[in-house]
Amino acid sequence: MLFSDLDIDEEMWATIPKESTECQDWEIRQNVHQSKISNIEVPVHSLASEIPSSSNIDPDDFSNYTKKSLSENEIIQILSSRDFGKEISAYPTTKARKYSKEWEKRYSWLRYSVLEDASYCSYCVSFGQGDGLFKTKGFSDWKNAVGEKRGTFKIHEISKMHTEAMEKSENLLSVSQGEKANIYSSISKAYEDKVSYNRKVLLSIIDVIIGTKNLRKKMETLGFLLIGKLKLMSS
């Protein structure tokens, strides 16, 4: 670094002895420069502001289920439970609006994330195809949550993704609760029924064939007797 590059105040230079040698002059300049640097106030961002606080981390919050692949047990938990994460005494207000627990009585699929202050659909998070609102992105426009014209909950409830996910969810719950056999059992039972039906049909056909043969034998025997009798009568 050249001496001319050092930004040193004139009044600071006035304190330096004029009789300094070239070496001393260089050392003095360095000391003065270091002194100015040490007196500069550098803003330091607190690391705490960059690290999420414990209040923003909750492994049981519902939003965690929207960011990963779910196991069958997790899906059953999502579909069967209503409350996830830490309990709150009151929902936060945004633009004079807030989430209402009463909505869950009409829309049983609603699941609320305390951390995000947003709602999700339990059916779509479990089995919904692709991404979108209520599946990977929480809904928090509480002003337009319900209502005849702009009720987002009602619009979502009749969407294709929701209805298909709801059917799959209800089937899974029925299987898990023993009300319906799972798909493998259903396929096996259908196969057994088909085999049993085919066996009965085959036995019926065999009976007919056997019966036909017996009838033919009886007819042949009867025919021989009749021919023999006719011969006797003609003689």
Side-chain angles (χ1 to χ4, degrees):
M1 179 181 295
L2 299 176
F3 296 155
S4 59
D5 294 335
L6 299 176
D7 183 15
I8 303 176
D9 296 338
E10 292 296 329
E11 59 182 36
M12 296 186 69
W13 270 112
T15 63
I16 302 174
K18 305 300 181 185
E19 63 275 8
S20 300
T21 63
E22 183 178 353
C23 181
Q24 290 174 329
D25 182 55
W26 182 86
E27 292 179 353
I28 292 172
R29 287 175 181 271
Q30 288 291 91
N31 291 335
V32 172
H33 183 63
Q34 293 295 331
S35 176
K36 284 182 67 63
I37 292 176
S38 63
N39 291 328
I40 296 175
E41 294 184 1
V42 180
V44 179
H45 296 287
S46 172
L47 291 177
S49 64
E50 300 178 1
I51 301 176
S53 64
S54 58
S55 61
N56 293 328
I57 300 176
D58 185 354
D60 296 325
D61 188 75
F62 189 83
S63 60
N64 295 318
Y65 293 100
T66 69
K67 301 174 176 62
K68 64 176 182 177
S69 298
L70 302 174
S71 66
E72 183 175 307
N73 289 335
E74 287 176 324
I75 293 176
I76 292 175
Q77 182 180 3
I78 289 174
L79 298 174
S80 304
S81 304
R82 290 286 185 88
D83 299 316
F84 294 84
K86 61 183 180 181
E87 296 182 1
I88 55 176
S89 57
Y91 294 104
T93 301
T94 304
K95 296 180 181 180
R97 305 277 180 164
K98 62 182 179 180
Y99 183 82
S100 174
K101 192 72 173 176
E102 291 296 312
W103 292 338
E104 296 179 5
K105 295 180 180 179
R106 168 62 181 82
Y107 304 99
S108 60
W109 45 265
L110 277 176
R111 298 294 182 270
Y112 179 76
S113 166
V114 176
L115 294 185
E116 295 184 356
D117 182 31
S119 60
Y120 289 89
C121 172
S122 60
Y123 296 148
C124 294
V125 170
S126 299
F127 291 105
Q129 298 297 318
D131 300 327
L133 195 62
F134 291 104
K135 175 176 170 57
T136 56
K137 181 181 179 182
F139 174 82
S140 58
D141 183 11
W142 309 132
K143 179 180 179 181
N144 297 311
V146 294
E148 291 298 326
K149 295 183 178 181
R150 296 184 297 179
T152 307
F153 291 163
K154 186 175 182 179
I155 294 174
H156 173 74
E157 194 172 49
I158 61 176
S159 67
K160 181 179 179 181
M161 180 176 72
H162 178 87
T163 53
E164 291 180 349
M166 179 180 67
E167 182 178 359
K168 294 178 181 178
S169 298
E170 291 178 346
N171 285 337
L172 176 61
L173 287 178
S174 296
V175 170
S176 66
Q177 296 168 1
E179 298 175 359
K180 180 187 292 186
N182 60 39
I183 183 65
Y184 302 108
S185 298
S186 299
I187 293 175
S188 178
K189 182 64 167 59
Y191 177 77
E192 290 178 0
D193 291 343
K194 185 175 182 179
V195 170
S196 178
Y197 172 78
N198 290 341
R199 182 182 293 112
K200 290 179 180 179
V201 171
L202 181 59
L203 290 175
S204 298
I205 294 174
I206 292 173
D207 288 341
V208 171
I209 294 174
I210 294 174
T212 302
K213 287 183 177 180
N214 292 336
L215 179 61
R216 182 180 299 171
K217 288 181 179 179
K218 291 179 180 180
M219 291 295 294
E220 289 177 352
T221 302
L222 182 61
F224 289 140
L225 292 175
L226 183 59
I227 292 173
K229 190 174 182 178
L230 290 174
K231 287 181 178 180
L232 289 173
M233 289 177 62
S234 63
S235 60

